[in-house]
Amino acid sequence: MNWQWLHRFGSPKWFYEKTGLWVVALGLCSITLLVVGAVWGLGFAPEDAKQGNSYRIIYIHVPAAVISMAGYYIMAIAGGVGLIWRTKLSFIVMRAAAPIGAWLTFAALFTGAVWGKPTWGTWWVWDARITSMLILLFLYLGVIALQQAFQHQDSADKTSAILALVGMVNVPIIYKSVEWWTTLHQPASIKFTQKSTIDPSMLYPLMIMFVAFYAFYFWCLLRSARAEILRREQKTAWVGEILMKGSR
Amino acid sequence: MNPATLDYNLSNALRASVARELRISTRQLSELFNPLLFFLVVVVFIPLGISSDPALLTKLAPGMIWVIALLATLLSLEGLFKGDFEDGSLEQMVISPLPLVWLVLIKVFSHWLVTGIPLTLLAPVLGLMLFLPTDAYWILMLSLFLGTASLSLVGSIGAALTVSLRRGGLVLSLIVMPLYVPILIFGADTVNSAAHGLSYAFSLAVLGVFLLFALLAAPFAAAGALKISVNT
């Protein structure tokens, strides 16, 4: 099989040149959608019968939580691709994905706490999903800590890729065991009663926010990957040219 | 070289490495006693810090013993590959024809023999100090027996990833602790159930399954990590 395309795609220079327009497009797209979704969701979607206005935090909380999970897989798979095919770009993507994912996880936890205070009367409960998210945050922070600990770029990339892959295998196990643990230990008084159906008038803005968050995620990912490319390739001629053009 | 001699050499080499690892770990007795001492001192801290009320301590005992066993294992992990890395023998192991996975397994096994097993054997004493119901002693030991083996296996990945760092201890703990969550949950639950006279078979079985899974997967990840660490 011919893997040439993969290596061409894995070349930082090629990637940098091709994604210049993508950044602009994704940026515009995500900002527009975020504004539309937020105004619709926070301003115009109907009030919830039970939770009043506080439910509106789901328009930020749910997309952040879902993408923080997806982001871990994106990070780990990028690392795995880098280990197997030794493409430079994969590690760059992986390094860019770690802090973004960690911030999204933090955002999900934070908005969850803000929502929990009026709804449950407490900032924190040891609920299965909340606890798993916290452990996911620790997994992210572990990967970041390992990346920071090495001075040598190559070993930082490869070791953190292995850690991310080991974490990826563990994420479902951790999730399942935490879920089992909470069903066993948690008092039934506090329960997240999820409605089986969500009214379309509430659902549409949520879907827009989902797309907006994904666009935002990839926008951030591209931007920091491009910055990382410039940092790593700073001694090459083509980066030198770009920098000269920028300073002029 | 015909396959028969190669086979003979392999088993010979494996036997030699087992003997070597065991000799090293039994010669440094401080490495054997330090985690145990840590285990003991932290257990003394619990009544001092919380309460000496036997009823409360009975409740806390299973989880506390498990958390402390986990921390004691974490402390001992840094030395798993460090000595061999520093004197260069790890490099020889990586380039030797002997499969690195086997060497990792042997190292982890001897690590478990000098940390996990003594912790398991000491556990009833700590159970006594924390008023753990006597029915739960055997289950406590059995759960620690299975659980500490998983702790050593999973921890070996972290130890292999951080072996080339000069101050890797804290990073090692940070990256390994989230991976320990399932072991802690099921280990502590096994003892808790036994202490309350409930069925502990399920949690104990999960601990066993986790150990099998770790046995199959962790040495490969650790061997891969060692190759990277040695190449820098």
Side-chain angles (χ1 to χ4, degrees):
Chain A
M1 201 166 169
N2 187 7
W3 290 102
Q4 202 105 57
W5 61 271
L6 187 76
H7 286 280
R8 197 182 52 161
F9 187 70
S11 137
K13 181 177 182 238
W14 186 85
F15 181 83
Y16 190 87
E17 283 164 356
K18 292 289 168 194
T19 51
L21 273 175
W22 275 90
V23 174
V24 181
L26 272 173
L28 285 176
C29 183
S30 64
I31 288 173
T32 320
L33 285 171
L34 276 175
V35 169
V36 171
V39 169
W40 189 355
L42 301 182
F44 294 98
E47 215 172 280
D48 186 78
K50 278 186 200 146
Q51 297 176 16
N53 277 320
S54 70
Y55 92 94
R56 292 181 198 279
I57 209 151
I58 62 161
Y59 292 117
I60 293 165
H61 176 74
V62 177
V66 169
I67 295 169
S68 64
M69 287 279 242
Y72 193 87
Y73 284 90
I74 291 173
M75 178 182 78
I77 290 168
V81 169
L83 282 178
I84 296 168
W85 286 290
R86 294 166 200 282
T87 44
K88 273 188 191 171
L89 182 65
S90 325
F91 290 128
I92 292 172
V93 169
M94 187 192 154
R95 189 163 186 115
I100 306 173
W103 275 112
L104 278 172
T105 316
F106 176 75
L109 281 168
F110 183 79
T111 51
V114 169
W115 176 83
K117 188 64 187 164
T119 317
W120 291 338
T122 163
W123 296 105
W124 183 261
V125 275
W126 290 100
D127 163 85
R129 266 181 281 195
I130 302 175
T131 314
S132 308
M133 281 308 269
L134 187 62
I135 294 165
L136 183 72
L137 181 64
F138 293 154
L139 284 171
Y140 268 123
L141 294 180
V143 171
I144 295 172
L146 197 60
Q147 284 172 342
Q148 304 290 338
F150 284 92
Q151 307 217 313
H152 196 266
Q153 188 70 63
D154 190 50
S155 34
D157 287 339
K158 285 178 179 167
T159 48
S160 53
I162 289 187
L163 179 65
L165 285 172
V166 171
M168 188 176 84
V169 175
N170 261 279
V171 161
I173 302 175
I174 292 172
Y175 188 80
K176 276 288 155 203
S177 42
V178 169
E179 198 177 37
W180 179 82
W181 167 74
T182 41
T183 51
L184 200 73
H185 294 263
Q186 222 207 314
S189 57
I190 298 166
K191 218 167 184 183
F192 182 42
T193 45
Q194 200 185 22
K195 271 174 288 172
S196 52
T197 53
I198 175 166
D199 194 73
S201 58
M202 293 177 181
L203 185 63
Y204 291 143
L206 184 61
M207 283 162 74
I208 289 180
M209 285 305 265
F210 256 111
V211 180
F213 262 73
Y214 264 109
F216 181 70
Y217 176 83
F218 284 109
W219 183 38
C220 292
L221 191 65
L222 268 188
R223 278 180 61 97
S224 60
R226 283 164 61 88
E228 184 71 17
I229 288 175
L230 290 185
R231 194 180 68 77
R232 289 193 187 189
E233 308 274 307
Q234 54 187 319
K235 287 183 184 141
T236 60
W238 70 272
V239 173
E241 268 169 41
I242 290 171
L243 293 180
M244 290 305 284
K245 244 186 267 168
S247 62
R248 215 179 285 152
Chain B
M1 198 187 296
N2 70 47
T5 52
L6 187 72
D7 209 40
Y8 177 72
N9 285 340
L10 180 71
S11 66
N12 240 10
L14 285 178
R15 209 169 309 135
S17 4
V18 173
R20 172 182 181 273
E21 294 304 327
L22 289 181
R23 205 174 307 133
I24 290 175
S25 39
T26 44
R27 266 188 195 157
Q28 294 183 318
L29 282 179
S30 67
E31 271 184 34
L32 174 68
F33 284 112
N34 288 350
L36 289 179
L37 199 59
F38 175 84
F39 200 35
L40 199 64
V41 172
V42 179
V43 165
V44 173
F45 278 5
I46 295 165
L48 293 178
I50 301 171
S51 153
S52 58
D53 174 24
L56 185 65
L57 288 178
T58 304
K59 258 186 163 173
L60 291 177
M64 278 298 178
I65 293 176
W66 255 95
V67 169
I68 302 164
L70 198 149
L71 294 177
T73 311
L74 267 183
L75 280 182
S76 68
L77 278 177
E78 204 187 347
L80 187 53
F81 301 115
K82 201 79 180 179
D84 284 337
F85 178 78
E86 276 167 357
D87 67 11
S89 31
L90 195 65
E91 216 159 84
Q92 298 304 314
M93 291 175 191
V94 170
I95 58 172
S96 80
L98 204 61
L100 192 58
V101 175
W102 280 106
L103 284 170
V104 169
L105 257 180
I106 291 167
K107 279 195 156 298
V108 172
F109 178 71
S110 60
H111 173 259
W112 176 63
L113 230 46
V114 294
T115 59
I117 294 288
L119 285 179
T120 306
L121 294 176
L122 189 66
V125 180
L126 306 180
L128 195 83
M129 291 164 77
L130 295 179
F131 305 103
L132 185 75
T134 34
D135 309 340
Y137 280 16
W138 284 111
I139 301 307
L140 173 68
M141 289 178 78
L142 195 56
S143 74
L144 280 173
F145 182 79
L146 293 174
T148 48
S150 301
L151 293 178
S152 291
L153 280 165
V154 175
S156 75
I157 304 173
L161 287 171
T162 54
V163 69
S164 63
L165 293 174
R166 209 164 300 138
R167 288 158 174 268
L170 194 57
V171 178
L172 168 61
S173 304
L174 285 181
I175 63 176
V176 168
M177 273 196 279
L179 305 176
Y180 277 174
V181 167
I183 310 173
L184 175 66
I185 288 178
F186 286 101
D189 182 74
T190 308
V191 187
N192 254 322
S193 307
H196 288 101
L198 304 168
S199 160
Y200 49 80
F202 174 73
S203 318
L204 201 60
V206 173
L207 272 186
V209 171
F210 196 92
L211 174 58
L212 274 182
F213 182 63
L215 206 55
L216 290 174
F220 288 94
L226 280 182
K227 276 182 195 154
I228 293 165
S229 293
V230 162
N231 279 334
T232 52

